[in-house]
Amino acid sequence: MNDLIRIGTTELAGFLAAQLPELSQDWWKKHVEDRLSFQQQRMVQERGLSTLDQLDFAALLRVLDQNWYELSQALNLPREGRNWVKELQTVRNKWAHLSAQTVAASEIYRDADTLGRVLHMLGVEAASLELIESNKTDALAMMAKSQGMSASQGDPETTSMGLPTEPAQSSAAPTIFQVGELVALRSNLATVIPVIDVIPGDAECRYQVFQDNRKVTYYESQLQSLAPKEEARDRLDVVALRAYLTSLQLLSSSTTSLFSMRSGRVQFVPYQYRPVLKLIRADRPRLLIADEVGVGKTIEAGLIIKELRARMDISSVLIICPKALVAERKWYLEMKRFDENFIAIDGPLLRHCLQETYLDGEWPDQYAKAIVPFSLFDSDLLFGRGGRGRKKNEGLLTLDPPPTFDLVIVDEAHHIRNSETFLHQAVRYFCDNAQAAIFLTATPVQLGSEDLFTLLNVLRPDLVIDHSSFEQMAEPNRPINIAIQHCRSAKEGWQDEALMCLDEVAQTEWGRLFLLDIQQITGL
């Protein structure tokens, strides 16, 4: 697998070298250095690296991930490709920190398959893809061989008297599928699985396949050969498109209902459920809650925790807030109303957690739900410092792999508006490695729109990439809000006034791109 990763490193460096210069003249600074983690940036500066082929696989994957929005727009990359890249980052971390234990053939197959999906998406050389497929075939053979050995090592069949039975004459039906062949489930043709063992039978053969990272047995009648893929795509008219979208909404009814209703000892206030509804309908679980002071943003965060816990495996939550809120135990007491027990982390305890993460590769479980004050994030904590003798305290930004949380909540998030502060760097680091992130602030804009850009760039760097993309998305807001006001007023001629505002929206860069997408979808 390490040989495949080296091949992937070469191919990925070549792909990025061909595509990134098309995005900007200052592409190395803007799309490489600025997109790397702090530790990777320091490595580039210390070693004087200036080309992509000098970066390791982890850095190249980081560059691909952080430039996903621009590359996917330019190359029309599939949406699920981002998930493959994220999974490949996990694969890289696993193989970079292998233990002495032998890696199972099933894991090798899965990891090689993930690498193959990413490289195929990027359109690399066929020879590299053939090597990956060859390794996948070898892994399948290893799984089949292992299965055969385990079966042959079992006890011989005996009669009720305890005597070995005579071997029966083989009258098994001929097999249709072979070991290593890809087949599909008849009940779900989208499920494609490899055959790893054949179990002959008198009436019908059975096949052991590798599905969902485990071995599953199916009868021959439950499987079928892969049908050739249809390259042609049907063009939908507006009516058919609306019908498909409606059916999708009906099938995904969970986005219209909440599991967090009555989940805490709080009064039912309808507007406090708006953030959680917004979150579950978003493409990524990241949200900026900018309600006024006293509205109940802490309760809204508690509802989000309960909702996410009901929908996915949420076991680790990090709350970062001002020191005064930790001293007053505000978050601790509010979360108790949702039966969530958090631990307030002080300086020595936080350094202990970082050291444990450095030694074990993961944040200690006993502090999986933690509250950390802003004041702890200083130079020593982020970058490490020398201790007594030869002992050195590891810094947050030097940990590899980094600590990952299922959910990161930042209260009074406007304090990170200065991107040069240690607090900003720490929050960005935690958010980059978190599955979900929530920012709470009553004043997202204090000195100007730059404050809002900073917050959104930390939350969604894939969407709010730079100032130009931020301004492009913000430009239509004013005429849209005015149009909404006209609609709500219902005064005479409000339709014409609102239409004029929407015409103004259509003249913006965002409006032109939106209309272009609609034209491509509808064919009009």
Side-chain angles (χ1 to χ4, degrees):
M1 187 64 198
N2 285 319
D3 292 336
L4 295 184
I5 290 178
R6 280 192 286 271
I7 293 174
T9 303
T10 302
E11 295 287 1
L12 183 53
F15 169 80
L16 293 173
Q19 299 299 330
L20 293 183
E22 301 293 329
L23 301 180
S24 171
Q25 291 183 348
D26 189 21
W27 64 273
W28 177 260
K29 179 69 171 68
K30 184 177 180 181
H31 295 285
V32 179
E33 284 192 13
D34 291 349
R35 303 297 174 91
L36 295 174
S37 66
F38 174 82
Q39 183 180 8
Q40 293 166 341
Q41 289 178 349
R42 188 169 64 176
M43 178 190 68
V44 168
Q45 295 170 0
E46 291 177 351
R47 299 182 182 179
L49 306 184
S50 58
T51 59
L52 288 165
D53 56 8
Q54 294 175 306
L55 300 181
D56 61 14
F57 196 47
L60 292 172
L61 285 174
R62 169 86 179 191
V63 171
L64 176 61
D65 178 60
Q66 294 299 308
N67 288 283
W68 179 261
Y69 178 77
E70 300 99 315
L71 293 173
S72 62
Q73 291 292 316
L75 303 175
N76 195 26
L77 299 178
R79 188 173 183 178
E80 62 271 17
R82 185 75 179 276
N83 296 329
W84 299 339
V85 174
K86 294 287 188 184
E87 185 175 347
L88 190 55
Q89 289 177 318
T90 304
V91 170
R92 176 267 164 195
N93 291 337
K94 179 176 69 177
W95 286 91
H97 303 88
L98 279 181
S99 64
Q101 293 182 338
T102 303
V103 181
S106 58
E107 289 192 41
I108 296 176
Y109 179 90
R110 179 181 178 85
D111 295 345
D113 182 67
T114 301
L115 177 61
R117 288 174 183 267
V118 172
L119 295 185
H120 183 270
M121 173 185 66
L122 301 182
V124 304
E125 295 291 335
S128 298
L129 298 177
E130 290 174 359
L131 285 174
I132 294 175
E133 290 300 321
S134 175
N135 276 265
K136 289 170 61 178
T137 302
D138 293 342
L140 285 174
M142 291 171 60
M143 286 188 284
K145 181 179 179 181
S146 174
Q147 180 69 15
M149 291 178 60
S150 61
S152 63
Q153 292 173 357
D155 294 334
E157 294 184 4
T158 58
T159 64
S160 58
M161 299 294 294
L163 300 175
T165 59
E166 294 294 329
Q169 296 295 324
S170 176
S171 59
T175 60
I176 297 179
F177 310 115
Q178 305 299 323
V179 173
E181 184 177 353
L182 292 177
V183 295
L185 288 179
R186 290 184 180 273
S187 59
N188 183 7
L189 297 179
T191 302
V192 179
I193 43 183
V195 176
I196 61 175
D197 192 23
V198 180
I199 307 174
D202 293 340
E204 185 177 11
C205 295
R206 291 178 296 160
Y207 297 87
Q208 197 166 65
V209 301
F210 187 64
Q211 181 182 5
D212 296 333
N213 210 24
R214 61 190 180 92
K215 299 174 182 178
V216 183
T217 302
Y218 289 103
Y219 283 97
E220 194 170 76
S221 58
Q222 295 176 287
L223 306 173
Q224 74 174 46
S225 299
L226 290 181
K229 295 183 178 180
E230 295 289 341
E231 295 295 335
R233 296 183 179 181
D234 295 332
R235 182 179 292 275
L236 301 178
D237 56 23
V238 176
V239 175
L241 176 61
R242 288 174 177 170
Y244 274 107
L245 293 177
T246 302
S247 64
L248 179 62
Q249 182 68 21
L250 292 174
L251 292 173
S252 304
S253 57
S254 61
T255 60
T256 60
S257 58
L258 293 176
F259 300 111
S260 57
M261 293 288 290
R262 310 292 184 183
S263 60
R265 293 181 291 277
V266 296
Q267 293 182 349
F268 176 71
V269 182
Y271 67 78
Q272 290 181 340
Y273 288 87
R274 293 183 64 184
V276 67
L277 283 170
K278 181 77 172 178
L279 185 74
I280 63 176
R281 294 169 182 171
D283 60 331
R284 290 187 66 191
R286 291 172 178 258
L287 189 65
L288 170 62
I289 303 177
D291 289 336
E292 295 289 340
V293 176
V295 167
K297 293 187 290 295
T298 309
I299 293 177
E300 292 171 345
L303 293 172
I304 287 174
I305 292 176
K306 303 304 288 187
E307 187 69 28
L308 292 180
R309 191 180 297 281
R311 292 173 178 270
M312 60 185 72
D313 184 17
I314 294 291
S315 58
S316 57
V317 181
L318 176 66
I319 299 175
I320 307 174
C321 62
K323 183 178 180 180
L325 299 182
V326 179
E328 296 169 1
R329 305 180 71 200
K330 175 187 175 182
W331 274 97
Y332 174 81
L333 295 175
E334 290 289 348
M335 292 301 101
K336 290 288 288 184
R337 301 169 70 178
F338 295 92
D339 297 321
E340 298 286 342
N341 295 312
F342 280 80
I343 298 176
I345 303 292
D346 57 14
L349 188 53
L350 181 55
R351 284 189 287 273
H352 166 74
C353 291
L354 296 183
Q355 187 66 17
E356 290 296 306
T357 304
Y358 169 71
L359 296 174
D360 298 336
E362 59 183 3
W363 190 269
D365 288 339
Q366 60 267 40
Y367 305 113
K369 291 192 287 188
I371 305 173
V372 179
F374 289 161
S375 57
L376 295 185
F377 297 108
D378 55 16
S379 176
D380 290 339
L381 187 78
L382 265 63
F383 308 119
R385 64 178 179 181
R388 294 181 179 179
R390 297 183 178 180
K391 185 177 180 181
K392 180 180 182 297
N393 292 326
E394 292 296 325
L396 172 65
L397 302 185
T398 63
L399 295 176
D400 185 20
T404 57
F405 286 87
D406 297 323
L407 173 63
V408 172
I409 299 174
V410 182
D411 197 3
E412 305 290 345
H414 53 270
H415 284 93
I416 72 166
R417 64 182 183 274
N418 185 352
S419 60
E420 301 299 325
T421 62
F422 297 127
L423 174 62
H424 176 96
Q425 296 179 54
V427 170
R428 180 181 288 273
Y429 184 76
F430 279 120
C431 290
D432 284 347
N433 297 287
Q435 184 176 357
I438 307 296
F439 284 3
L440 311 177
T441 176
T443 54
V445 178
Q446 291 192 323
L447 301 178
S449 60
E450 177 71 18
D451 298 341
L452 182 59
F453 164 76
T454 302
L455 295 178
L456 296 179
N457 179 253
V458 174
L459 266 180
R460 292 297 303 266
D462 55 326
L463 289 182
V464 186
I465 304 166
D466 49 27
H467 287 85
S468 60
S469 61
F470 171 72
E471 292 171 359
Q472 177 181 318
M473 287 186 284
E475 186 181 5
N477 286 346
R478 182 177 177 276
I480 288 176
N481 288 329
I482 296 176
I484 293 174
Q485 292 175 7
H486 286 306
C487 294
R488 288 175 175 172
S489 67
K491 295 180 180 179
E492 184 178 355
W494 67 268
Q495 297 96 330
D496 295 334
E497 295 291 342
L499 184 59
M500 290 177 59
C501 293
L502 295 181
D503 288 338
E504 185 178 346
V505 172
Q507 299 305 315
T508 64
E509 182 65 21
W510 179 88
R512 288 192 290 269
L513 292 175
F514 178 79
L515 292 177
L516 180 61
D517 289 340
I518 294 297
Q519 291 173 358
Q520 291 177 346
I521 293 174
T522 60
L524 300 178

